[in-house]
Amino acid sequence: MQPNGKPGHAGEQHPTVVKRVSRKGHDEAHGGAWKVAFADFCLALLCLFLVMWLLASRESDRMQVLIKSAGANMLDDGNGINNTQGTGSRGSLIERHPVPAYGETPARGRSNDGQEGADGRTTYERPADLAALARAIERLSADEGLSGNLRMAITPQGLRVMLHDTESSGMFERGSAAPSPHFKALLQKLGPVFAQMRNQLLIVGHTDASQYVDRGPAAFSNWALSTHRAMSARLHLLEGGMPERSVMQVSGMADSVPLDAQDRFAATNRRIELMILTPGQTRLLAQIYGAPPQSVPLSQGGDGLSALSAESADAARELRRALPGEKE
């Protein structure tokens, strides 16, 4: 159609009009951006569960070590580890591992240091014998990279072995009875050495002066920690082959006897001591804690006092006078 209203020719072209309709709102509702956000959320949640699982696994291993080394003061009631020091022990549920057979029947053919008995085990009594034993312990410590954590002294009581912390390395995890891998390996290597000797030893745990926040009577304290660490050391010595009869006493002394008295918080105060007793000291300690030769009740009459020496009788009479209601 021409502008004048007349029809145009058949070959003429007309302009094409294109109408664009916006579908922006419809595309956003059915897009894929939310799927990417949901995938990121699921990935973050998976990472969180993985971290929580690793932490729970680590705590479980640590608790197993505490259960083995804590003694009767730690009980597993199904809801974690409960301290029963304040309420009294209800029996030990510690898993008892048998002592390895080779620890009870040590091999023969040891060195000539000391006096070898009929059972093939050696008795260390003279200072020269104890020095030879100290050199063997020093070599084992060097093999585990713990030469800087070792001190030894030959005393009239025997060989004193001190395995202590340093500023760079510790024997145990801080505040725990779980030993470090190197210290655990050293204890297990010392087991066969102690299996070859007839001497008995004391295992004593020590801490520094750092205190726990809870200071109540039933709270976990440095006394409990030092005892648990001593028990843990005994456990790994037994695992290495040391027979049970080699240990005469296991105790914890908390921070009462610091190695560095000038700095009670020093790393060297956190230590495990192994006191290898001479036979004479072993007999003396057995007499101190064993049954006395003769025990007479204070309420007994003159016949009981006559059984004592004159000095003991005088002391008994003085004690009787001090007791309420007692008369000569």
Side-chain angles (χ1 to χ4, degrees), residues 5-317:
K6 298 180 179 181
H9 299 286
E12 293 181 355
Q13 296 181 356
H14 300 283
T16 302
V17 179
V18 180
K19 183 179 180 181
R20 298 182 181 275
V21 180
S22 176
R23 296 183 179 180
K24 184 176 181 181
H26 180 76
D27 292 340
E28 287 181 353
H30 296 276
W34 68 273
K35 298 178 182 178
V36 177
F38 182 72
D40 291 341
F41 171 75
C42 291
L43 181 61
L45 197 61
L46 179 63
C47 294
L48 176 63
F49 288 153
L50 181 61
V51 171
M52 292 177 64
W53 176 77
L54 291 175
L55 291 176
S57 177
R58 182 180 178 184
E59 289 297 324
S60 177
D61 294 341
R62 183 179 299 176
M63 288 299 106
Q64 290 297 327
V65 174
L66 287 176
I67 291 173
K68 292 179 181 179
S69 61
N73 292 327
M74 303 295 283
L75 298 179
D76 186 358
D77 289 337
N79 297 318
I81 304 302
N82 298 325
N83 191 351
T84 62
Q85 289 178 330
T87 58
S89 173
R90 293 169 288 174
S92 175
L93 299 182
I94 304 174
E95 182 180 1
R96 299 296 183 182
H97 296 280
V99 181
Y102 58 85
E104 294 291 348
T105 56
R108 298 177 181 269
R110 296 288 294 171
S111 64
N112 293 327
D113 300 321
Q115 302 173 5
E116 185 171 343
D119 55 359
R121 293 186 297 149
T122 304
T123 300
Y124 297 94
E125 185 168 9
R126 299 174 301 170
D129 303 335
L130 296 173
L133 178 60
R135 288 192 295 268
I137 296 175
E138 188 175 10
R139 286 194 297 269
L140 294 177
S141 300
D143 292 341
E144 293 300 327
L146 297 177
S147 297
N149 302 79
L150 174 67
R151 295 188 190 181
M152 288 184 289
I154 298 175
T155 68
Q157 292 75 32
L159 177 62
R160 182 184 179 190
V161 181
M162 294 160 281
L163 295 161
H164 58 80
D165 287 5
T166 62
E167 296 298 337
S168 58
S169 63
M171 297 293 97
F172 294 88
E173 295 184 22
R174 195 66 186 271
S176 168
S180 65
H182 290 289
F183 185 46
K184 179 179 177 180
L186 175 59
L187 291 172
Q188 292 178 346
K189 287 184 177 181
L190 289 175
V193 175
F194 295 157
Q196 300 293 339
M197 69 181 188
R198 305 181 68 180
N199 303 64
Q200 290 186 294
L201 65 148
L202 312 179
I203 304 177
V204 185
H206 300 267
T207 67
D208 60 14
S210 301
Q211 302 294 327
Y212 288 87
V213 176
D214 189 354
R215 304 291 293 275
F220 193 83
S221 64
N222 283 340
W223 291 101
L225 178 62
S226 59
T227 303
H228 293 172
R229 287 180 170 180
M231 289 295 295
S232 178
R234 173 187 175 273
L235 168 67
H236 295 299
L237 287 171
L238 293 177
E239 289 179 345
M242 180 189 71
E244 291 187 358
R245 62 175 177 269
S246 294
V247 179
M248 189 173 192
Q249 185 180 41
V250 180
S251 60
M253 300 188 69
D255 59 326
S256 60
V257 189
L259 199 59
D260 185 355
Q262 301 300 323
D263 183 5
R264 301 182 66 89
F265 296 92
T268 53
N269 292 329
R270 302 187 296 269
R271 66 194 190 277
I272 289 291
E273 292 199 20
L274 307 175
M275 187 66 190
I276 303 170
L277 300 171
T278 61
Q281 289 298 319
T282 301
R283 290 190 296 269
L284 179 61
L285 194 61
Q287 292 174 2
I288 293 175
Y289 292 105
Q294 189 172 5
S295 178
V296 179
L298 292 179
S299 60
Q300 189 171 340
D303 292 339
L305 291 178
S306 63
L308 301 174
S309 63
E311 183 178 356
S312 299
D314 293 340
R317 291 191 184 94

